[in-house]
Amino acid sequence: MDNPSKNVNKHSSLWEGIGRLLYRLYQIVVGFPIFLIATIITAVTVTIGCTIGNGHFWGYYPGRWWSKITIRTFLLPVTVEGRENLEKDQSYVFVANHQGAVDIFLIYGYLSRNFKWMMKHQLRKIPFVGFACERSHQIMVDKRGPSKVRKTYEDARRILEQGYSVVVFPEGARTFTGHMCKFRKGAFALADELQLPVVPLTINGSFNVLPRMRDGKFVNWHPLRLTIHQPIYPVGQGPENVEATMHQAYDSVMSALVPEYQGFVENPDQ
């Protein structure tokens, strides 16, 4: 006699397989072409806009629209929690866990804050996008010598002193497992120097959508969630404040991760 539960599982697996196939066909026919066109248009718009106009406007809003278009094109549902924790005219140093490439679109599209990225200088090499990032004065983190490190901090300090915010991935690289790795001190030292609040951000779902091991492959459908935590204001200034802020931010980010990715796992390229 057939087991009803096995039949249900077979039918469920069949429909899931059909759903994955249809979603991949959709990506080939609709998703990737729209993404490619939107990327080129956005990069050109940012480059021209920042050359002839206000770099803070053109360096943020086209990227925000591009990110929202990308996430909606791939039919990814987004939930944002904690926007009420932010003050309108306050500069922040935002720090987030780095689950995957989709983190960029989630933060850019849904944080609703004009900011600059602190990004690896190697990203200049990405066609169209790298040049647009340079023209829009995103902060390129270059550690190839003391003078380049100093310039990175000077660029970030200038942006923050103008009343804008910065977003940093303090792990330094995308996770291989979905779990968080250790935080580096750079962003927290910058916040300490300028006596600015640090705002932890927790990203959930990005690792399920497109982990770094699957770069260049199909996107998986999965809900995304961005949690904006309470700002951490400086208490004093110096190494003790840097350490305390870093540990508090790490604990805040970890606290909102789904149970599957709770806990520290060392990243081999950190």
Side-chain angles (χ1 to χ4, degrees):
M1 185 175 178
D2 291 339
N3 188 328
S5 62
K6 287 186 177 179
N7 291 333
V8 170
N9 289 335
K10 285 180 182 179
H11 284 106
S12 177
S13 298
L14 176 62
W15 283 113
E16 286 178 5
I18 292 172
R20 281 196 297 270
L21 177 60
L22 291 175
Y23 187 46
R24 290 187 175 186
L25 288 173
Y26 170 83
Q27 291 179 51
I28 293 170
V29 176
V30 178
F32 291 126
I34 289 178
F35 173 69
L36 179 60
I37 293 168
T39 299
I40 294 172
I41 291 174
T42 302
V44 171
T45 301
V46 169
T47 301
I48 295 174
C50 290
T51 301
I52 65 176
N54 184 340
H56 290 305
F57 176 88
W58 294 104
Y60 170 67
Y61 286 99
R64 181 185 179 188
W65 301 328
W66 167 64
S67 296
K68 285 194 170 187
I69 288 170
T70 298
I71 286 182
R72 289 173 180 174
T73 296
F74 286 97
L75 311 177
L76 303 172
V78 173
T79 301
V80 180
E81 303 170 342
R83 281 205 189 104
E84 68 278 2
N85 292 328
L86 304 180
E87 296 179 23
K88 184 179 179 182
D89 297 318
Q90 173 67 54
S91 293
Y92 295 108
V93 176
F94 292 99
V95 295
N97 60 315
H98 205 359
Q99 284 203 335
V102 181
D103 298 345
I104 306 297
F105 306 107
L106 182 59
I107 293 176
Y108 222 159
Y110 294 90
L111 182 58
S112 298
R113 201 80 179 189
N114 196 331
F115 65 85
K116 300 293 184 185
W117 292 101
M118 291 188 72
M119 57 178 62
K120 293 181 178 180
H121 71 92
Q122 294 93 330
L123 296 177
R124 284 193 182 104
K125 299 178 182 178
I126 300 176
F128 294 103
V129 174
F131 186 68
C133 288
E134 197 163 8
R135 293 300 299 172
S136 60
H137 305 294
Q138 307 301 327
I139 303 161
M140 301 293 178
V141 179
D142 194 336
K143 299 182 179 179
R144 296 173 298 175
S147 63
K148 294 184 182 296
V149 171
R150 190 161 51 250
K151 184 180 183 304
T152 297
Y153 276 91
E154 288 171 357
D155 291 343
R157 187 184 302 111
R158 186 177 65 254
I159 292 298
L160 287 163
E161 287 174 344
Q162 291 174 9
Y164 295 90
S165 298
V166 298
V167 174
V168 188
F169 293 115
E171 294 167 280
R174 290 174 290 164
T175 175
F176 279 102
T177 64
H179 295 78
M180 280 174 59
C181 313
K182 63 184 179 181
F183 279 1
R184 298 177 178 180
K185 292 183 181 179
F188 306 97
L190 178 64
D192 175 75
E193 180 181 337
L194 297 178
Q195 289 291 279
L196 290 174
V198 170
V199 177
L201 305 174
T202 302
I203 293 170
N204 279 293
S206 177
F207 185 77
N208 304 83
V209 172
L210 190 64
R212 66 184 297 183
M213 304 84 71
R214 298 185 66 254
D215 282 347
K217 297 184 179 180
F218 287 104
V219 168
N220 293 322
W221 186 91
H222 195 279
L224 298 167
R225 188 171 82 241
L226 176 66
T227 303
I228 304 168
H229 296 274
Q230 290 277 357
I232 303 169
Y233 288 88
V235 179
Q237 190 169 19
E240 290 185 3
N241 179 57
V242 172
E243 285 286 340
T245 304
M246 183 174 68
H247 290 303
Q248 188 176 343
Y250 188 93
D251 290 343
S252 293
V253 176
M254 179 75 76
S255 70
L257 280 174
V258 296
E260 181 182 0
Y261 298 126
Q262 285 281 337
F264 167 82
V265 174
E266 189 172 357
N267 212 24
D269 67 345
Q270 201 173 36

